[in-house]
Amino acid sequence: MAGQWWNSSTYTHILVVPAIVAWLVWTRAPRLAQLRPVAWWPGLVAFAAAAFLWLLGEFAGFSLASQAGAVAMLVGAALTLLGPKAGAGLAFPLAYMAFLVPFGDELVPPLQLVTARLTIALVGISGVPAVIDGVFISTPAGLFEVAEACSGVKFLIAMTAFGVLVGNVCFRSWPRRIAFLALAMVLPVLANGVRAWGTIFVAQYVGAEKATGIDHLIYGWVFFAVVMALTLALAWRFFDRAADDPMIDAAAIEASPFLTRLERLVLAPLPALGALCAIIVVVLAWASAADRLRAPLPERISLPEVAGWQRVPYAPKIWWEPRARGAEHRLLGRYRDAEGRQVDVFLALYASQDEGKEAGGFGEGALTPGTAWAWLSPGPAFGEAKSDRLLGEGRYGRVAATTYRTGSLLTGSNLRLKLANIADRLRLRARPTVLLILSSEEPHAQASLRAFRASVGPLGEWMDRATAIR
């Protein structure tokens, strides 16, 4: 997790979250000293649930779940060793630890589309002629892409953490807290659209390259600070917590009948520590056993014959090759029918799904980071497959339909694949996973893919035959 905080610009703001948590505890320290800590066995239940969440994340190679489980284990340990009253006093700092978890990548595609639509609306209002296709906007000054880095996701996540912190520190009223958080989340999205529009508008006069360079400088060093200051300025007059107002009411916590009843569920400190250690040993042993699972695979696989189609040399307009790190077998080939329609087939076979070997992991699949290809928009529906439109070098279009297969499951949903992998690992059952990507170049990609899908018959059975796993 610390590596992601340090190496990913999306999560750099998390580097200050541990200091914020420490400060939040420090501001409560004088009142916390009035509360007597006790070892509390219900905290073990919370700790065990968090450990199980970590285990599920490890089983699926789903870092968001495993990282959330790791942070929740710290919270569960605190409740186990300090008890319900101290836990109530520390409720907000413990809850704020959720921002230690790097999350938000799944918001990038929808935020790209939202930013693109806001931008094209503003471009139209400003009188600049423009045409939008997915996340690409064409103007007289050039073709502009609302790329992942321009989606505003890093800004939105940081502002959400900022909004939650200010809501607790500066407000007492829950309606005001909620309103401020909504402002802190909506304003950066709107501001990001304005920033993207400003880049395109300025480019009409100074050129695209120069405008983009100015944009990155302003956005990185100035824009975030300006929007934070604007958010605070709009909300300042509504702050309703005095500067010397204590952050917790220790007397009310100590006198709470509900917390007093909960506090009776005590446990001796040493058995509590022993139980925490035992839970860790159990989940680590379970994870280790699941990590050793490897499904038997054939020595070789090959792309099968398809009625009405023949294999032809793979010669795309620009090179396109999906990524499938960790797969034991990979195949990439092209089929053509009598009408000249062409479909590219990528097939990958995995003996297991581990960290760095996930069929649906970040950077895996149809769009390989760092290549000439960029994501354009969601693609047309192809049954159970997940479809995407890609654009290469700003001019070559391609549609890619992704399907996963494990056991009897056939899906285009990465979430459903992970849930199936989790179920297998919980039972210590080894089953292979197949990744299939059918793709075709524009302008006739949709018709070509539909014709090919009709020719192969039931897709799950075709994938099983191609990989010889059944």
Side-chain angles (χ1 to χ4, degrees):
M1 290 170 65
Q4 284 184 264
W5 306 344
W6 186 261
N7 295 314
S8 173
S9 60
T10 302
Y11 305 119
T12 306
H13 68 279
I14 302 181
L15 289 169
V16 302
V17 171
I20 291 173
V21 172
W23 175 77
L24 290 169
V25 174
W26 179 76
T27 60
R28 290 159 172 77
R31 298 293 193 281
L32 287 171
Q34 302 172 23
L35 303 174
R36 182 176 63 91
V38 295
W40 191 53
W41 72 256
L44 287 172
V45 178
F47 183 85
F52 190 65
L53 176 60
W54 173 85
L55 183 67
L56 296 181
E58 289 295 298
F59 281 171
F62 189 20
S63 59
L64 180 61
S66 58
Q67 292 166 352
V71 171
M73 287 167 71
L74 295 176
V75 176
L79 293 175
T80 300
L81 300 176
L82 298 178
K85 290 185 177 179
L90 288 168
F92 184 75
L94 292 176
Y96 199 76
M97 287 172 64
F99 288 107
L100 292 170
V101 180
F103 66 90
D105 282 333
E106 61 278 358
L107 299 176
V108 169
L111 282 175
Q112 284 179 271
L113 293 174
V114 168
T115 301
R117 288 165 186 163
L118 283 172
T119 303
I120 193 66
L122 293 172
V123 167
I125 292 173
S126 61
V128 177
V131 177
I132 186 172
D133 186 6
V135 297
F136 284 83
I137 299 174
S138 178
T139 75
L143 183 67
F144 296 85
E145 177 192 1
V146 181
E148 291 184 8
C150 302
S151 67
V153 66
K154 63 183 71 176
F155 195 13
L156 175 61
I157 296 170
M159 283 296 292
T160 300
F162 174 71
V164 170
L165 177 63
V166 173
N168 176 259
V169 173
C170 300
F171 295 94
R172 294 182 63 89
S173 164
W174 275 102
R176 294 191 183 197
R177 287 173 172 174
I178 293 171
F180 180 80
L181 179 59
L183 176 67
M185 295 176 68
V186 171
L187 196 58
V189 175
L190 298 177
N192 191 49
V194 173
R195 177 202 61 81
W197 162 77
T199 302
I200 294 176
F201 186 77
V202 170
Q204 310 308 308
Y205 302 96
V206 302
E209 185 175 349
K210 190 172 182 179
T212 303
I214 295 172
D215 169 64
H216 288 166
L217 176 64
I218 294 176
Y219 189 60
W221 295 100
V222 179
F223 198 72
F224 181 66
V226 169
V227 173
M228 283 183 66
L230 178 61
T231 305
L232 286 174
L234 291 173
W236 191 279
R237 65 185 300 267
F238 300 102
F239 288 178
D240 59 358
R241 184 190 287 277
D244 58 351
D245 192 12
M247 300 304 297
I248 62 171
D249 187 344
I253 293 174
E254 188 63 49
S256 168
F258 176 69
L259 293 175
T260 299
R261 285 196 299 272
L262 290 179
E263 196 176 39
R264 294 171 187 159
L265 305 174
V266 296
L267 182 67
L270 287 180
L273 283 171
L276 292 174
C277 294
I279 291 171
I280 292 174
V281 169
V282 169
V283 296
L284 287 176
W286 202 344
S288 178
D291 283 342
R292 293 193 293 269
L293 293 175
R294 294 290 184 274
L297 299 180
E299 291 187 5
R300 295 177 59 85
I301 63 173
S302 60
L303 293 176
E305 298 295 324
V306 177
W309 298 73
Q310 61 177 349
R311 289 285 307 279
V312 296
Y314 181 63
K317 294 174 183 175
I318 59 172
W319 189 260
W320 172 80
E321 182 177 357
R323 176 185 286 175
R325 293 174 297 184
E328 278 68 25
H329 296 294
R330 302 176 193 80
L331 296 174
L332 177 61
R334 172 167 287 189
Y335 289 82
R336 179 186 296 155
D337 68 0
E339 298 182 26
R341 293 177 294 203
Q342 297 186 136
V343 171
D344 300 325
V345 178
F346 179 79
L347 199 65
L349 179 60
Y350 299 77
S352 65
Q353 294 288 281
D354 301 319
E355 184 68 30
K357 296 183 178 181
E358 307 99 332
F362 179 75
E364 303 296 299
L367 182 59
T368 302
T371 65
W373 292 94
W375 185 78
L376 183 60
S377 69
F382 289 104
E384 59 288 315
K386 177 184 178 294
S387 175
D388 295 285
R389 294 174 62 216
L390 311 178
L391 190 66
E393 295 183 351
R395 49 183 175 155
Y396 297 112
R398 175 180 284 273
V399 175
T402 301
T403 309
Y404 307 105
R405 175 78 161 168
T406 183
S408 60
L409 176 67
L410 184 69
T411 182
S413 167
N414 188 30
L415 177 60
R416 291 188 64 193
L417 172 67
K418 288 185 180 296
L419 291 175
N421 293 146
I422 287 172
D424 287 340
R425 291 192 150 209
L426 283 172
R427 303 173 190 176
L428 298 181
R429 178 176 60 188
R431 293 203 293 195
T433 297
V434 184
L435 164 65
L436 173 67
I437 302 176
L438 301 179
S439 181
S440 184
E441 297 172 333
E442 296 285 16
H444 306 297
Q446 186 171 345
S448 299
L449 289 171
R450 295 197 185 283
F452 188 82
R453 284 287 301 269
S455 298
V456 302
L459 190 61
E461 297 177 10
W462 188 79
M463 293 170 69
D464 291 342
R465 292 195 305 271
T467 53
I469 59 176
R470 298 197 183 202

